[in-house]
Amino acid sequence: MIRFEDVSVTYEGAAEPTVRGVDFEVPEGELVLLAGPSGAGKSTVLGAVSGLVPHFTGGTLRGRVTVAGRDTRTHRPRHLADVVGTVGQDPLAHFVTDTVEDELAYGMESLGLAPAVMRRRVEETLDLLGLAPLRDRPIATLSGGQRQRVAIGSVLTPHPRVLVLDEPTSALDPAAAEEVLAVLQRLVHDLGTTVLMAEHRLERVVQYADRVVLLPAPGAAPVVGPPAEVMAVSPVHPPVVALGRLAGWSPLPLTVRDARRRAAPLRARLATRAPSASAPHHTAATAPTATGGTGITAAAVARAGVADALPVPVSGTAPLRQRQAVTRRSLFRRRPAPAPEPSRTHIAEVHGLCVRRDRVQALRHADLTVAPGETIALMGRNGAGKSTLLGSLVGLLAPASGHVTVGGVTPHRTAPKDLVRHVGLVPQDPRDLLYADTVAAECAAADRDAGAAPGTCRSLVSALLPEITDGTHPRDLSEGQSLALALAVVLTARPPLLLLDEPTRGLDYAAKARLVGVLRALAAEGHAIVLATHDVELAAELAHRVVLLAEGEVIADGPTAEIVVSSPSFAPQVTKILAPQRWLTVAEVREALA
Amino acid sequence: MSPRERRRTGGYAVAGRAVPRATGGLRPPHSDGSPRRGPARAHRSAGAPVSDAPDARRRGATHPGAWWLWAISLGTAATRTTNPLLLGLLMAASGYVVATHRSPTPWARSYGAFVRLALAVVLVRVLFAVALGSPIPGSHILLTLPEVPLPHWAQGIRLGGRVTAEAVVFAGYDGLKLATLLICVGAANALAGPTRLLKSLPGALYETGVAVVVALTFAPHLVADVRRLRAARRLRGRPDRGVRGLLQVGLPVLEGALERSVALAAAMESRGYGRTAEVPVRVRRTTTALTLGGLLGVCAGTYGLLTAEGGAYGLPLLLAGAAAALAGLRLGGRRSPRTRYRPDPWGPRAWLVAGSGAAVAALLTLASVRDPQALHPGVVPLVAPGLPLGPAAAVLLALLPALVPREHP
């Protein structure tokens, strides 16, 4: 269906080809996953299928790409529109009309289908994607998952034989991602659509792929093969694969189910060393005690399995109470710093906070306390109020009622100049923070803004991004690099409380690992960190506490292990594989086995 | 059955029925026996009434053009009078219809912006009259501002000086007229956004229309971007207000807007925007000739109408030119293979809506000729405006669309 014949693409002004030696074929009805680190050319390969590369982006394409027998050299994207449906990274940039129904019809109108056919296909697609209740809704009012489904639906209605998707689940919460993936599954299995998609979050998609095309590095020839084989050599891989590689399983498991079936011996090995039900005395002696909100009582776990040890959702002040419980052990031995000692001075306190945004009650009576050195993950659906809570903590939004104090000041009444010394936020799109033409100018401005000694920001940047040069334009940085630069800019003022909104969106595993290292070091220095994230693996690796939000209310607040273990959608893969033992990350397991 | 329900069942009835397929040079990939139909039919077969004709039109919706005509007619009516009571009545009537029938799209939110703009227009008009003086003679002096002496070349311009009640009232009436016009345009936006109007454009103009509407949505996005980036300035410890802040975010905002536009253009291109059909050379030439000739005719005809000596040939030339241009547009539509999904029907509701607007405009125009005193209350001498009953009743006709069943319950 899609055939690449020795394709290489060189963009204008680039010395080296972005992709080289791409030569593979996707047969009809396959779901093929395009994996690889950022900058390896995934979007370029996808663009070549829809003809946008090189017709729209410019550059030179050598070799030949054919889709359903049409050569993209002679067919412009608009003339491929009836065989290829393309959904880009940002669904909002994809919409031409205002309402769901019109959007679904737009592609067919361009192709000139008969009105009766259009009408029927719109109804079918509404049902297929579960969009029927939303048919009259303006697109602006939809949630992230709904938008992604509308975007997919809008390219499905012309009945393309090939669907090309660029990071369809990256910006979605776990539940919405499953929604979208279920739809793709159905398209492939019921209708024989060919799907080619790129995705960073392999843990979500790799098990659905029939084959994986791995772009190991920029300009390197792709590796094509069955998922298990490619994952064995891939530099990017999900935790289930990392665990499989660690345990030496072959063939590698790709799903939690496969891994669980093989994991019995591993569980037995871990049971003796693990901080789990079987050996409370062993770990109690070795692990640090009194770990604030992060410990769980060994006795409770010893008595009951995971299911019985589900925590009762506790309010924001609960960690204080929990600290008085008897036995404590830390599951998070790999953390450089154990969670903070109980301290009376909270770095930030939120009480009964209500915030309205555009006539919507974004937060209702939210409570949160943050202690120095603590890392908290805010989780919940798209639109649950995570960003609003972060916004209130930096004074971007004034509370309708309730109060917020950060470091003893009320954020929205404090001058920005003073507030940056108390709290810093890295927004969802870190580029929002960057105005200057070069990295050096950005750093100099950051020093001035924060009143820090000249060179402070630049030395932070050098620590986070050793390879970056002074003259680089901030807009030319990759996602991970601009995040690091924004982080450095925020850290220049040395705020004791650091907030991050969706920091891992668009980051590959390597960039994510670097970010985890940086944030751990910051927490060890005593920074309190609050991150809003959909990434359960990140929360498992970093957070001492998880706060779950739903419809603007705090519905659970407690130690990471308790909250994520008890939730089917928020549990990381390692937890699911090794349950009822409470491991969260591969790194923990590796350390326990060493 | 409500119109909404009828639409739904209409949709279900169509599912899985044999419907004529796409015609023309297009090859539907999943042709007959399309697997796509399978699951949809399976889960829908339960109890859906079956009808033969597919509901390809959007029943129960009022044609957006009708709302625009209604609003423009009200605006026309507003230009015929300066009576604040009648103008207030017009604003109230349009506001009431907006309150009952506004669409749920983001465009509807712009009504508030239009109301604020209208208020600003009145204020600015009055302030100018106060500061710059007014040619209206008056004897009721409200206050005397210190007058700024101006050089003789600026004769005729006055800064400060006496402010008379007559001048202020006259400016207020004048501003109110303009404000009513703005509110009517806002009402049209709220009742049927430009994107819905776009669907009714002739095929030849469609692509230009899309460009215009995309450009229109550019502004709200830009405003949102500016707001976000100014908020981000706060995160850097810089003041988030003031002109400097606005200037500093200018470049990033434009960069972001450009990137988004390019992304949208790419998405539109890959969804088939700008596909053209092959048309015979003869048709193409005829189209060009008709359009060019028609436009020339329109220009010459207008010139004829406006000049004294061209009265005889002016009107026929104008009409012929317009007809030729329209024919050219229609023929030009053949180049675009576009079809329309559920076009809005021009039904009785559309007639009612457009008709009520037209009636208001016509009656007020008539009244302004018959009884100019009532529609233009005197300023010199200052009198309280009275409410002329006939025109007031005519304005109330504008409320008729409120009786049309709502499309968006």
Side-chain angles (χ1 to χ4, degrees), chain A residues 78 101 111 113 119 127, chain B residues 26 44 55 275 339 342:
Chain A
R78 64 180 76 146
E101 206 179 335
L111 300 181
L113 268 62
R119 185 66 211 278
D127 281 350
Chain B
L26 234 143
R44 266 205 215 133
D55 184 4
R275 274 166 87 106
T339 45
R342 297 183 82 188

Side-chain angles (χ1 to χ4, degrees), chain A residues 526-538:
Chain A
H527 284 277
I529 300 172
V530 179
L531 25 100
T533 186
H534 292 314
D535 191 333
V536 292
E537 307 295 338
L538 180 79

Side-chain angles (χ1 to χ4, degrees), chain B residues 22 51 84 190 210:
Chain B
S51 76
V210 169

Side-chain angles (χ1 to χ4, degrees), chain B residues 59-87:
Chain B
R59 282 196 210 137
T62 312
H63 196 282
W67 286 119
W68 280 82
L69 276 181
W70 173 82
I72 290 168
S73 306
L74 292 200
T76 316
T79 58
R80 299 291 106 201
T81 174
T82 53
N83 187 329
L85 297 175
L86 284 178
L87 289 174

Side-chain angles (χ1 to χ4, degrees), chain B residues 83 128 153 225 244-245 256 261 289 315 373:
Chain B
N83 187 329
F128 265 69
W153 50 261
D225 275 359
R244 259 191 77 200
S261 308
L315 193 64
Q373 288 306 311

Side-chain angles (χ1 to χ4, degrees), chain B residues 260-277:
Chain B
R260 205 180 20 241
S261 308
V262 170
L264 178 65
M268 284 169 67
E269 167 89 31
S270 63
R271 289 172 73 185
Y273 173 79
R275 274 166 87 106
T276 46

